[in-house]
Amino acid sequence: MPRPLTFTLLLVALVTACAEQPVTPIASRPKTTVIAAPSSGVDRWLSQYGEVKVMGRDEIVTALLATGRPSNSQQFYYFGLLNQELTTLSNWTLARDAFRQIQDDTELSPEQRELASILERYNQTRLNDYERQDSLQSQQDSTQSKLDNALEENALLKQKIQAITDLETSISTREGEGVL
């Protein structure tokens, strides 16, 4: 169910429940204890995301070596987090593929699968951006090479024009002196 609709239904239920309940003075209310809900899978994943985010490169490489090849969704998630923090295309590809693998696990909560989907798209975007950057760099290098060649040709043309101008000046000077 979409969040706005869920929120609206919850709000309507809360307002309805409050309207039906008589107001009890504070002194006569029974004491209640709040029991914290167990941490959901997505909360654990977000906590793990924060832990990996502050790790240094060496720690990440060490953790990746210790992790090995993942075999369940939790391991794929951790594997993906570690790989996305490194700065190579192959690591981003591994991260994207790990998060893609998680989305097929029906035992995970919808929120966990959505988080995996977001992280997959993030890594795919990084790969696409790198490819686009690489393509633009190639275009810039090609254009710079063409510009350098054009500048060299321009300098040669200027030299030729100057040589022709000098020759014409020399010819007209000789004609003026009657040497020719």
Side-chain angles (χ1 to χ4, degrees), residues 55-123:
M55 291 171 77
R57 185 185 190 322
D58 293 339
E59 290 176 286
I60 291 171
V61 171
T62 303
L64 271 171
L65 292 173
T67 302
R69 200 73 183 141
S71 61
N72 62 42
S73 292
Q74 176 59 38
Q75 291 174 353
F76 271 107
Y77 177 74
Y78 187 60
F79 182 78
L81 287 180
L82 293 171
N83 275 292
Q84 86 176 10
E85 291 305 311
L86 297 175
T87 57
T88 66
L89 284 177
S90 60
N91 289 107
W92 295 343
T93 302
L94 289 170
R96 179 205 56 203
D97 294 346
F99 294 127
R100 189 174 287 165
Q101 179 78 25
I102 295 170
Q103 293 175 54
D104 297 333
D105 189 347
T106 57
E107 293 180 13
L108 295 175
S109 70
E111 292 84 9
Q112 285 175 301
R113 289 195 307 269
E114 180 63 24
L115 178 58
S117 173
I118 290 167
L119 292 172
E120 179 212 349
R121 287 191 308 263
Y122 169 70
N123 284 285

Side-chain angles (χ1 to χ4, degrees), residues 22-43:
V23 177
T24 307
I26 293 176
S28 65
R29 289 186 189 165
K31 290 187 177 183
T32 58
T33 56
V34 177
I35 300 172
S39 179
S40 71
V42 76
D43 289 337

